[in-house]
Amino acid sequence: MTAYLDYNATAPLRPEALTAMTEAVAAPGNPSSVHGAGRRARGFVERAREQVARLAGAEPSWVIFTSGGTEANNTALGGLGDRVIVSAGEHDSVLQAVPEAQRLPLRPDGRVDLAALETALAEAPRGAVVSVMLANNETGVLQPIEAVVELARAVGARVHCDAVQAAGKLPLDMRGLGVDCLTLSAHKLGGPPGVGALICRDDLPLAPLLRGGGQERRRRAGTENLPGIAGFGAAAEAALRDLPRFAEVGLLRDRLEAGVRTLAPDAVVFGAEAERLANTSCLAVAGLSAETQIMALDLAGVAVSAGAACSSGKVQPSHVLTAMGASAAEAASAIRVSLGWQSTETDIDRFLAAWGDLYRRSQAA
């Protein structure tokens, strides 16, 4: 059996989500129809809207269901304003949504440079949009969103936050954060792929990306993905319930990193100086390529990745690590190990045994 350590790419489907999806897929009816079957379908959607809102610390009316985090990010950045400022460590679905956006540098610890943001905002027209993620998908580093919001508010800028990796791993409070928009994705927290949410305040003048229907309060046209939305809601509820147990995942991550450092004192853990998600470790040993590590670990029954999993299966140096000042050799050797709700000590033991064998062979070569 594989030791699955790639939760930041996608988490295993939670049983609660599968149950909700099975129920929903067996129910005929379009959520927009007014007959009994349609009203029952609408009930699945609205229950999920409440569940997702509770996970995010938001109002249910703010939740706009989408096909995933990528669509949510594109909707936010394409519909809020013309001048966009992003951090250099954002997911590609943010960076490529607005290729001409101004990019803010990262500090060596992986956090966005707030001084650079202040300068950029001073030069930007009023009504600019700032997009900074809550937790980085590759390093797990948490960004200072409250400080970002404070700087943006001082000049009348809006703030979008990609919280895809943070959801289900740390408590979310959209009201407390003060952001205007928040992005979530179901499959990162144990829901199905192909469904996500953009959570936007009611008073925000958001231009829809998809037009042609009145669904989602006219903010996202198209018949709702009923089974996916039901599964998303159930996974959100389960993830919120399990939050107090997530500290145990941090203990597993710390044991993994301590084991790697014992095996390879020259190993680098990116973002270790900053506050990080409890489940994420980005490791590198110069001279040991990421591709070699991923293939060797896969043969040993251990699943990890290099950087984001959204790069068409390609193993390539990370733009996040490059923005943090990593050398080309370090970036080319970085792998991401990410844990989650089913991770065990046995998974850590299997990783350390397989990775240790590979490291020793590389040193003997």
Side-chain angles (χ1 to χ4, degrees), residues 232-257:
F232 186 8
E237 185 173 272
L240 183 60
R241 177 200 67 211
D242 290 347
L243 267 179
R245 291 160 41 191
F246 209 76
E248 298 171 16
V249 175
L251 297 177
L252 293 177
R253 192 276 310 273
D254 292 346
R255 188 160 82 81
L256 182 146
E257 291 182 356

Side-chain angles (χ1 to χ4, degrees), residues 161-175:
C161 180
D162 180 343
V164 163
Q165 290 297 341
K169 298 168 188 169
L170 51 82
L172 291 182
D173 181 8
M174 182 173 169
R175 300 181 194 89

Side-chain angles (χ1 to χ4, degrees), residues 24-308:
V25 80
N30 186 312
S32 296
S33 298
V34 297
H35 49 59
R39 292 196 302 273
R40 186 182 178 208
R42 171 57 54 189
F44 283 108
V45 174
E46 296 312 317
R47 182 185 179 203
R49 202 182 306 279
E50 292 174 359
Q51 292 167 317
V52 170
R54 280 195 294 272
L55 176 69
E59 297 294 330
S61 63
W62 298 356
V63 177
I64 306 164
F65 287 116
T66 67
S67 65
T70 294
E71 184 192 326
N73 285 339
N74 276 262
T75 299
L77 297 179
L80 287 178
D82 296 329
R83 176 67 182 275
V84 179
I85 302 168
V86 303
S87 89
E90 296 301 303
H91 189 273
D92 274 347
S93 61
V94 167
L95 297 179
Q96 295 185 30
V98 188
E100 69 276 12
Q102 181 176 355
R103 297 192 185 187
L104 303 170
L106 299 183
R107 296 173 15 165
D109 65 3
R111 289 180 293 182
V112 67
D113 187 326
L114 292 174
L117 172 59
E118 189 170 15
T119 299
L121 286 169
E123 297 171 351
R126 192 169 184 83
V129 180
V130 179
S131 183
V132 176
M133 59 181 21
L134 186 51
N136 188 266
N137 51 301
E138 297 186 29
T139 63
V141 169
L142 303 184
Q143 296 296 338
I145 297 301
E146 292 90 344
V148 169
V149 169
E150 185 178 352
L151 290 172
R153 289 286 174 267
V155 295
R158 298 190 177 103
V159 179
H160 163 258
C161 180
D162 180 343
V164 163
Q165 290 297 341
K169 298 168 188 169
L170 51 82
L172 291 182
D173 181 8
M174 182 173 169
R175 300 181 194 89
L177 285 174
V179 299
D180 297 289
C181 283
L182 196 75
T183 292
L184 302 182
S185 180
H187 74 108
K188 304 296 188 180
L189 48 85
V195 61
L198 178 63
I199 308 179
C200 272
R201 297 178 182 276
D202 283 330
D203 58 353
L204 205 65
L206 178 72
L209 180 67
L210 299 182
R211 299 174 175 86
Q215 295 88 353
E216 297 304 291
R217 302 181 70 192
R218 299 193 176 278
R219 290 186 153 194
R220 196 269 187 185
T223 300
E224 294 91 343
N225 172 6
L226 187 60
I229 288 171
F232 186 8
E237 185 173 272
L240 183 60
R241 177 200 67 211
D242 290 347
L243 267 179
R245 291 160 41 191
F246 209 76
E248 298 171 16
V249 175
L251 297 177
L252 293 177
R253 192 276 310 273
D254 292 346
R255 188 160 82 81
L256 182 146
E257 291 182 356
V260 166
R261 285 183 165 123
T262 298
L263 292 165
D266 56 336
V268 176
V269 179
F270 292 101
E273 302 81 10
E275 189 177 1
R276 289 180 291 160
L277 293 174
N279 80 312
T280 305
S281 184
C282 187
L283 310 163
V285 174
L288 187 56
S289 77
E291 189 168 11
T292 296
Q293 293 177 76
I294 290 170
M295 289 190 298
L297 289 168
D298 187 39
L299 290 172
V302 180
V304 301
S305 66

